[in-house]
Amino acid sequence: MNDQTRLSLEEAWTLSVDVLEQNGFSKDQAAAIARSVVAAQRDECHSHGLYRLLDCVRTVRYGGVDPRAVPEVADQAPGVVSVDARGGCSLLAFETARQPLIEKARATGVAALAVNNAFHFSALWPEVESLAEQGLVALAMTPSHAYVAPAGGHSPLLGTNPIAFAWPRPEGVPFVFDFATSVVARGEIELHRRAGESIPEGWAIDGAGQSTTDPSAALAGALLPFGGHKGAALSIMIELLAGPLIGDRLGHQTRPADGSGEGAPQHGEFILAMDPQAFLGTDAETRLQQAEALFEGITAQGARLPSQRRHAARARSHSEGVAIPAALYAELVQLRDGEAQT
Amino acid sequence: MNDQTRLSLEEAWTLSVDVLEQNGFSKDQAAAIARSVVAAQRDECHSHGLYRLLDCVRTVRYGGVDPRAVPEVADQAPGVVSVDARGGCSLLAFETARQPLIEKARATGVAALAVNNAFHFSALWPEVESLAEQGLVALAMTPSHAYVAPAGGHSPLLGTNPIAFAWPRPEGVPFVFDFATSVVARGEIELHRRAGESIPEGWAIDGAGQSTTDPSAALAGALLPFGGHKGAALSIMIELLAGPLIGDRLGHQTRPADGSGEGAPQHGEFILAMDPQAFLGTDAETRLQQAEALFEGITAQGARLPSQRRHAARARSHSEGVAIPAALYAELVQLRDGEAQT
């Protein structure tokens, strides 16, 4: 079961696009999704890599995403652009609205993008990184389904609500972080359950609101926010900004598509872009250089920058390609060839 | 030593203004500071209450703040306003630029305020709360002096870097949180040292980078960020946004004024304001009501909203006044009457 299949980045790309198009995704939707999952696989973020193609196909079959949706951009205000994903995946919607967002940020200094009515499964860092590659500072957040209890509470209410940030660096790749506001991802607990292992104290509570080390009890209970009441506060902020502020759902108002007909997986994403040129004018270059003192201060202590491990993986993948489990590869090939999903 | 002196809110206000004006602060600077410390005292945030007047006076004597500075507002971009505190306290600078910020947020949907070259000692929540009272969503952050080690590091580099957020509620006071990105405030460790008590594991490391429960060793070492690498990432973001992005110092480029002549206490603050009307138009009211479902879901579990305790204290203080240690009261009276600070 530990057999790995190695693919070049080009092979990973072609396989991803073919799986998606074979399963009903339009050419544009498929390309946007493939860009995200191949980037995640390349950076060895396995949980957001090619594995997620299975989710995409499953969600189409359950009616939880429109695979041929054409996103629609709307100008809300001088500093606000929105894009209606129209039930499609968030990724094409983001790509469609990225240039209008960049133009607004350059014109006003700071601009927001609201992505609405989207199926969202992807990592946020490729999106903020793509904005930082254009010289902008970017922040993104999205709710997820309600798996996390508020600090001091006992039942799932908040999503795992990730937040991502990117800062342009004068040389090399941007500084980027992207983390869930739960202590761990739900998938991490699922992996412990499958392996028959207990989970550490502090990750989750059971259905009665008590601390548990049993992954099955945790999955029936709730994850805990990272950092206690501080992480929970941040998670609430994410729900509010990427929900009501942009006219979209709160985490607990969504449900994964599961074939029951009661799924409501679609929700919003909130992205902010800031242009250092607008803040700093001709000082922008000097000030971006000043920020390097902070990064150097961190690495000089032997501490790691948040994106450091991903960037090392990226360099490796460009020369060596990526490795995915052979079983996953076989399943993707079946999906590409039009066979039933197991 | 546990004697308390009770003051009406009006008495607390008059005492604060008199202490500040007697010690060189201009009428406007004194009023802005008094509004902040009395609000904090009223909400029983003792660490940002009248006690901070001692800091203000000490910092004037050490030359770390210009008590008569007149802030200067500049229009940077359609969505960016900046205010140069010109070496004065951040509070008057913020108040001077608040209306321009509000107007920009209403015009563009999202606007940023850069406060520069400010002496900063105050809680951030009164500022974001004042924006939410005008119907805006607000986010504020500032670096502090370098007391916190990055996750995986061993030496102070990051500030305790607080972040505050406010959301307007259709009825009653806004939803507000305000927290430091260190596990605890430095003052908390100082209190343990004075009381001869050890501190819990996980708060701090000693000068050799090892975990410590000795408060003196912790003060000679570094605080830890809350929530491990996630809290540290957030802290780095705060340094970048409230430092280089707005043309101001990083935490480790500042030092408290201590009479040595080497203090460099002044730094920046970054504030973002967003107008739900610009995002939502006529839907704004419905969507603000939708957010209430999240707050109700939290309190229905018996969990507390971040601002709940403060708001209960506020109601009490309006009817009963505030209580401060008799020794602090005596010291403030001495300062008001022009006697030397002990």
Side-chain angles (χ1 to χ4, degrees):
Chain A
M1 291 294 289
N2 288 322
D3 283 356
Q4 301 279 307
T5 301
R6 192 160 282 282
L7 303 171
S8 70
L9 289 174
E10 200 180 317
E11 287 166 339
W13 165 262
T14 305
L15 176 62
S16 299
V17 166
D18 289 351
V19 164
L20 291 162
E21 292 192 7
Q22 172 66 30
N23 287 275
F25 285 89
S26 68
K27 200 173 151 64
D28 287 348
Q29 288 280 353
I33 295 170
R35 272 189 281 277
S36 179
V37 298
V38 172
Q41 195 67 54
R42 177 200 67 197
D43 283 14
E44 294 180 9
C45 303
H46 297 286
S47 61
H48 288 101
L50 267 56
Y51 158 78
R52 290 295 178 126
L53 295 169
L54 306 182
D55 270 350
C56 292
V57 172
R58 195 180 300 117
T59 306
V60 171
R61 292 180 184 181
Y62 286 154
V65 59
D66 177 352
R68 311 195 72 78
V70 179
E72 196 173 340
V73 174
D75 192 319
Q76 300 286 348
V80 184
V81 56
S82 72
V83 56
D84 187 343
R86 296 168 87 191
C89 178
S90 65
L91 292 158
L92 180 60
F94 171 79
E95 288 188 3
T96 306
R98 180 170 44 206
Q99 197 53 37
L101 173 66
I102 291 170
E103 283 161 20
K104 277 184 184 292
R106 292 207 171 121
T108 63
V110 49
L113 167 61
V115 178
N116 289 119
N117 306 314
F119 166 65
H120 202 297
F121 72 88
S122 52
L124 296 178
W125 63 257
E127 298 181 344
V128 290
E129 189 174 86
S130 78
L131 292 167
E133 282 165 350
Q134 301 298 314
L136 302 178
V137 178
L139 187 65
M141 52 195 87
T142 188
S144 74
H145 313 310
Y147 294 133
V148 180
H154 52 73
S155 305
L157 178 69
L158 304 166
T160 53
N161 300 0
I163 181 169
F165 173 78
W167 175 269
R169 298 184 68 176
E171 290 166 36
V173 286
F175 168 86
V176 176
F177 69 73
D178 180 357
F179 62 79
T181 50
S182 49
V183 176
V184 290
R186 198 173 146 86
E188 195 67 38
I189 294 182
E190 180 61 32
L191 286 175
H192 278 72
R193 191 188 63 76
R194 284 197 210 181
E197 291 169 357
S198 62
I199 56 169
E201 284 276 352
W203 282 17
I205 52 179
D206 63 20
Q210 301 300 311
S211 181
T212 185
T213 59
D214 172 1
S216 296
L219 291 169
L223 301 181
L224 289 172
F226 92 100
H229 71 275
K230 296 183 180 185
L234 201 64
S235 176
I236 294 169
M237 178 188 85
I238 293 167
E239 296 261 343
L240 294 170
L241 295 181
L245 179 66
I246 62 167
D248 220 309
R249 288 178 171 134
L250 292 159
H252 75 274
Q253 294 166 336
T254 70
R255 290 186 55 180
D258 60 0
S260 69
E262 289 172 14
Q266 287 144 25
H267 56 79
E269 180 182 346
F270 175 83
I271 297 141
L272 207 62
M274 290 165 276
D275 182 6
Q277 297 286 341
F279 281 78
L280 296 162
T282 52
D283 277 354
E285 201 175 325
T286 312
R287 292 300 179 168
L288 287 176
Q289 202 55 55
Q290 177 202 4
E292 295 296 304
L294 183 63
F295 303 134
E296 282 157 20
I298 293 167
T299 53
Q301 300 193 16
R304 223 178 3 224
L305 293 178
S307 35
Q308 214 166 317
R309 195 151 35 179
R310 275 203 303 102
H311 295 152
R314 183 177 304 184
R316 262 198 313 279
S317 298
H318 275 292
S319 59
E320 299 169 17
V322 298
I324 61 172
L328 170 61
Y329 179 71
E331 201 169 348
L332 291 172
V333 166
Q334 279 191 330
L335 286 176
R336 179 194 66 194
D337 296 342
E339 294 166 36
Q341 190 175 29
T342 50
Chain B
M1 288 299 285
N2 287 321
D3 284 355
Q4 299 280 307
T5 300
R6 191 159 281 282
L7 303 171
S8 70
L9 289 174
E10 200 180 318
E11 288 166 338
W13 165 263
T14 305
L15 177 61
S16 299
V17 166
D18 289 351
V19 164
L20 291 162
E21 290 192 9
Q22 172 65 32
N23 287 277
F25 284 90
S26 67
K27 200 173 152 66
D28 287 347
Q29 287 281 354
I33 295 170
R35 272 189 282 278
S36 179
V37 298
V38 172
Q41 196 66 55
R42 177 199 67 196
D43 283 15
E44 293 179 10
C45 303
H46 299 285
S47 62
H48 288 100
L50 267 56
Y51 159 79
R52 290 295 178 125
L53 295 169
L54 306 181
D55 270 350
C56 291
V57 172
R58 194 179 302 116
T59 306
V60 171
R61 293 180 183 179
Y62 286 153
V65 60
D66 177 352
R68 310 195 73 78
V70 178
E72 197 175 339
V73 175
D75 192 318
Q76 300 286 346
V80 185
V81 56
S82 73
V83 56
D84 187 343
R86 296 168 88 189
C89 177
S90 64
L91 292 158
L92 181 61
F94 172 77
E95 289 188 4
T96 307
R98 180 170 44 205
Q99 197 53 38
L101 173 65
I102 292 171
E103 283 160 20
K104 278 185 183 292
R106 292 206 172 123
T108 62
V110 49
L113 166 61
V115 178
N116 289 118
N117 307 314
F119 165 65
H120 201 297
F121 72 87
S122 52
L124 296 177
W125 63 257
E127 298 181 345
V128 290
E129 189 173 86
S130 78
L131 293 167
E133 283 166 355
Q134 301 298 314
L136 302 177
V137 177
L139 186 65
M141 52 195 88
T142 188
S144 75
H145 312 309
Y147 295 133
V148 180
H154 52 72
S155 304
L157 178 68
L158 303 167
T160 52
N161 299 0
I163 180 168
F165 173 77
W167 175 270
R169 298 183 69 175
E171 290 165 37
V173 286
F175 168 86
V176 176
F177 68 73
D178 180 357
F179 61 79
T181 50
S182 50
V183 177
V184 292
R186 198 174 147 85
E188 194 68 37
I189 294 181
E190 180 61 31
L191 286 175
H192 278 72
R193 192 188 61 76
R194 286 197 209 178
E197 292 168 358
S198 63
I199 56 170
E201 284 276 353
W203 283 16
I205 52 179
D206 63 20
Q210 301 301 312
S211 182
T212 184
T213 58
D214 171 3
S216 297
L219 290 169
L223 301 181
L224 289 172
F226 92 101
H229 72 275
K230 296 183 180 185
L234 200 64
S235 176
I236 294 168
M237 178 188 85
I238 293 167
E239 296 262 342
L240 294 170
L241 296 182
L245 179 65
I246 62 167
D248 220 310
R249 286 178 172 135
L250 293 159
H252 76 273
Q253 294 166 337
T254 70
R255 290 187 54 182
D258 59 2
S260 69
E262 290 173 14
Q266 287 142 24
H267 56 79
E269 179 182 346
F270 175 83
I271 297 143
L272 207 62
M274 289 165 276
D275 182 6
Q277 296 288 340
F279 282 79
L280 296 162
T282 53
D283 277 355
E285 201 175 326
T286 313
R287 292 299 180 170
L288 287 176
Q289 203 55 54
Q290 177 202 2
E292 295 297 302
L294 182 62
F295 303 134
E296 282 157 22
I298 293 168
T299 54
Q301 303 195 12
R304 221 174 9 220
L305 293 179
S307 36
Q308 214 166 316
R309 196 149 37 178
R310 274 201 306 101
H311 294 152
R314 182 178 303 185
R316 261 196 315 278
S317 297
H318 275 293
S319 60
E320 299 169 17
V322 298
I324 61 171
L328 171 60
Y329 179 71
E331 202 170 346
L332 291 172
V333 166
Q334 278 191 330
L335 286 176
R336 178 194 66 194
D337 296 343
E339 294 166 38
Q341 189 175 29
T342 49

